Amino acid sequence: MYLEYYGFDQYPFHLTPNTELFLGLPPHFEAIQVVLSALDMGEGLIKVTGEVGTGKTMVCRMLVNQMDDSTELVYLPNSALTGRELRQAVAQELKIQVRDELSIVDDIQKKLIELAAQDKRVVVLVDEAQALDDEALEVLRLFGNLETEQQKLLQIVLFGQPELDQRLSLHHLRQFRQRITFSANLRGLSVEETVAYIDNRLSKAGGATDLLSLRQKKAIWKSALGIPRLINQICHKALLMSCNSSLSKVSNDQLFSAIHDTYDSCKPKFKSPLIWGGHPLNDWM
């Protein structure tokens, strides 16, 4: 593989979110600040949405890393849960010995009151929230009702694809929708942000930023539509193909092949990318 060949300490464009390679670009930094500010103000329900691959899970993990000891975290990475399973998952994360199914909400409330008395806040992070069914959303709404006269006992942050917004626009979910006090949306990266993103990952992984030229980085932005996951896929494949061809840097031919091998990328129309760079947008479609 290209790890040793190009002198990397770790893979710079692995698809698994790696907080060591995080760069606080505006879309992600702003989402993190919105969530942290809302939590600090005691808001009960917060939402972060973004297209597939825009970095929702990375933002979620960065938030986990920034929580201090006064925060009890409940992380639910699998949101394909029924209402019953959701209650059980929250109870398990809070280490509650549930007496029976009928008492589970009372047991959770009792635990939350105990934690509040210890000046601890409880934050539930729900990843892939668009997969929650109506029953599970109702459970979350009812959890959001748990409060003292001074504060919410449970704060909930939802991370989901745009389908979550579509679901919440339905009339029968208006009670849940109206309880969302703050929202953030993750957009695709701009061309400048994409260049910074690629350079940051190459550098932090121990490699040279000139393995890809500025023109190639701009072409990657165009082909990936600014989506970090697609940027990672294209860069990873281009480095691998160039390594297999014993090249010192990524060639246009290898980058062209990597783009065409990436399913959701925007494909250049020319078979051979003769002029990529100065005006890469003119060479597409």
Side-chain angles (χ1 to χ4, degrees):
M1 298 292 282
Y2 66 80
L3 198 64
E4 294 182 2
Y5 185 82
Y6 289 122
F8 289 113
D9 303 321
Q10 58 182 312
Y11 287 112
F13 300 105
H14 207 282
L15 289 186
T16 302
N18 183 350
T19 56
E20 292 181 9
L21 301 179
F22 178 75
L23 176 64
L25 293 168
H28 306 108
F29 179 78
E30 290 165 10
I32 290 171
Q33 291 306 305
V34 166
V35 174
L36 290 177
S37 297
L39 291 175
D40 287 343
M41 289 187 289
E43 302 296 341
L45 192 54
I46 306 144
K47 174 174 63 68
V48 178
T49 54
E51 262 298 347
V52 174
T54 49
K56 296 182 295 298
T57 300
M58 175 66 86
V59 167
C60 185
R61 293 189 180 183
M62 290 302 298
L63 284 167
V64 170
N65 292 344
Q66 295 194 44
M67 299 295 179
D68 56 28
D69 293 339
S70 67
T71 302
E72 195 79 20
L73 274 176
V74 176
Y75 179 45
L76 303 177
N78 173 26
S79 57
L81 304 171
T82 64
R84 175 177 174 275
E85 291 168 340
L86 181 59
R87 286 190 291 267
Q88 291 176 334
V90 171
Q92 183 176 4
E93 287 290 305
L94 292 175
K95 300 179 176 58
I96 297 172
Q97 295 295 325
V98 178
R99 293 170 290 168
D100 54 59
E101 189 63 30
L102 294 176
S103 69
I104 189 168
V105 174
D106 290 338
D107 292 336
I108 290 173
Q109 183 171 14
K110 180 180 178 183
K111 178 70 172 182
L112 293 175
I113 291 172
E114 291 174 0
L115 291 170
Q118 300 168 22
D119 291 326
K120 286 198 170 187
R121 67 179 182 186
V122 180
V123 177
V124 179
L125 303 177
V126 185
D127 207 357
E128 301 296 340
Q130 74 279 350
L132 292 167
D133 64 16
D134 287 358
E135 182 190 6
L137 287 173
E138 178 63 12
V139 168
L140 288 178
R141 186 184 73 82
L142 294 175
F143 276 153
N145 288 340
L146 300 177
E147 58 189 1
T148 65
E149 291 183 359
Q150 292 79 31
Q151 66 186 80
K152 293 284 186 182
L153 292 174
L154 199 65
Q155 295 176 279
I156 302 164
V157 186
L158 304 177
F159 296 86
Q161 297 170 16
E163 290 84 350
L164 176 62
D165 288 325
Q166 295 171 12
R167 291 263 326 278
L168 295 178
S169 68
L170 297 175
H171 181 71
H172 72 280
L173 292 176
R174 64 192 182 282
Q175 285 192 8
F176 187 93
R177 180 177 65 246
Q178 291 174 6
R179 291 175 185 269
I180 298 172
T181 51
F182 283 86
S183 297
N185 182 260
L186 292 176
R187 57 168 173 80
L189 303 180
S190 68
V191 62
E192 294 84 3
E193 291 164 349
T194 297
V195 172
Y197 177 88
I198 293 172
D199 285 348
N200 172 73
R201 284 186 164 252
L202 289 170
S203 178
K204 284 186 177 177
T209 59
D210 64 355
L211 284 171
L212 289 150
S213 70
L214 178 59
R215 293 178 175 182
Q216 290 173 331
K217 292 165 189 172
K218 290 180 178 180
I220 291 169
W221 165 75
K222 173 63 178 177
S223 65
L225 308 174
I227 304 298
R229 183 179 296 166
L230 294 180
I231 294 170
N232 287 354
Q233 288 181 10
I234 293 169
C235 290
H236 181 66
K237 292 174 183 177
L239 287 168
L240 178 59
M241 292 175 181
S242 297
C243 172
N244 290 341
S245 298
S246 300
L247 301 174
S248 60
K249 297 181 180 180
V250 173
S251 71
N252 284 346
D253 286 341
Q254 304 301 340
L255 180 54
F256 176 82
S257 297
I259 290 171
H260 273 267
D261 191 58
T262 302
Y263 188 80
D264 284 329
S265 67
C266 178
K267 312 295 192 295
K269 74 175 183 178
F270 298 114
K271 293 289 184 181
S272 178
L274 298 177
I275 306 175
W276 286 21
H279 301 285
L281 305 189
N282 296 332
D283 298 336
W284 299 72
M285 311 236 236

